[in-house]
Amino acid sequence: QKEVEQNSGPLSVPEGAIASLNCTYSDRGSQSFFWYRQYSGKSPELIMFIYSNGDKEDGRFTAQLNKASQYVSLLIRDSQPSDSATYLCAVNRYSSASKIIFGSGTRLSIRP
Amino acid sequence: DAGVTQSPTHLIKTRGQHVTLRCSPISGHKSVSWYQQVLGQGPQFIFQYYEKEERGRGNFPDRFSARQFPNYSSELNVNALLLGDSALYLCASSFEEGGNDGYTFGSGTRLTVV
């Protein structure tokens, strides 16, 4: 079992719709969770982080965390073509020398 | 303010050679981490340094080594290069040791081993 799992996609969503990206993690000791966006040929860019169960909203983005289910999600409302990218889920595992572990990413394509 | 800077941006090396990659963190950031990203995969953790001490090491062979300098810049060294070492090498910095505030990545060094 991978430590952080994501559906590789591609996930195709029409412009203006809600894109939903999901991530599961295996280490129950994980305490902080991150979503990064990576455009092709570029480095990852931090979008949001979340520590507590529930929802956290920032503009068009909402991160959701359910520690009991070991599940993290990212919702993108009013999807724009510029949102087309690979979205990386990452978790910080304090239980093991404190390092951030990434999933393999989900490719999102917003179709006009 | 300057972000995380990495050098060089691109590099071509021959199998068996040695390479040194460099990273300067954001001013005030004391934690530096190195990642390897192969096309189509997420970044794989290599090392984390904080206050010049190694705080974490990923599942990479001993050919990989790193260090952090008093000014918090860092070097990643790879010996005896293999074709499989071809990848994008990313450096990330954070203010907090554990990266709880989130990492900021540099633009990366694209290493090609031929």
Side-chain angles (χ1 to χ4, degrees):
Chain A
Q1 182 186 11
K2 289 184 179 179
E3 295 184 59
V4 180
E5 296 212 49
Q6 298 181 252
N7 188 322
S8 63
L11 175 66
S12 182
V13 172
E15 184 175 354
I18 295 175
S20 177
L21 304 162
N22 305 315
C23 170
T24 58
Y25 60 94
S26 61
D27 186 351
R28 284 193 175 275
S30 301
Q31 297 187 17
S32 47
F33 307 85
F34 306 88
W35 283 99
Y36 285 81
R37 177 176 61 199
Q38 187 172 26
Y39 292 113
S40 180
K42 302 295 185 182
S43 59
E45 170 192 13
L46 180 65
I47 301 174
M48 292 190 69
F49 58 86
I50 185 167
Y51 306 142
S52 304
N53 277 326
D55 295 359
K56 179 181 179 181
E57 187 174 318
D58 184 1
R60 296 186 298 111
F61 299 95
T62 298
Q64 299 175 318
L65 174 61
N66 183 326
K67 289 186 178 181
S69 300
Q70 296 174 246
Y71 178 90
V72 190
S73 65
L74 179 70
L75 301 178
I76 306 174
R77 291 182 298 281
D78 189 23
S79 296
Q80 303 296 310
S82 59
D83 295 327
S84 297
T86 295
Y87 288 81
L88 298 162
C89 173
V91 305
N92 195 340
R93 305 187 315 149
Y94 286 99
S95 61
S96 178
S98 181
K99 53 184 180 284
I100 294 180
I101 302 298
F102 286 81
S104 57
T106 298
R107 278 193 301 134
L108 174 65
S109 176
I110 307 300
R111 58 182 190 270
Chain B
D1 285 341
V4 179
T5 58
Q6 291 187 245
S7 63
T9 55
H10 295 84
L11 202 53
I12 298 175
K13 289 287 191 178
T14 304
R15 277 178 300 175
Q17 285 188 316
H18 163 90
V19 69
T20 297
L21 310 181
R22 295 178 174 83
C23 172
S24 293
I26 290 173
S27 178
H29 284 191
K30 299 180 180 180
S31 176
V32 171
S33 295
W34 287 95
Y35 286 81
Q36 180 197 65
Q37 188 175 26
V38 175
L39 193 63
Q41 299 292 321
Q44 297 296 308
F45 173 76
I46 309 176
F47 286 108
Q48 185 201 356
Y49 278 79
Y50 181 77
E51 286 284 14
K52 302 176 288 292
E53 290 186 0
E54 181 183 306
R55 296 303 179 98
R57 182 181 184 120
N59 188 24
F60 279 80
D62 291 343
R63 299 184 295 107
F64 289 76
S65 63
R67 54 180 176 168
Q68 186 177 33
F69 298 99
N71 66 354
Y72 304 109
S73 67
S74 177
E75 282 183 354
L76 175 69
N77 295 282
V78 187
N79 291 324
L81 285 166
L82 303 174
L83 295 179
D85 295 331
S86 296
L88 178 67
Y89 288 84
L90 294 163
C91 173
S93 76
S94 65
F95 179 75
E96 294 186 12
E97 176 183 352
N100 211 30
D101 51 332
Y103 284 172
T104 300
F105 283 89
S107 300
T109 294
R110 174 74 61 186
L111 172 64
T112 302
V113 182
V114 297

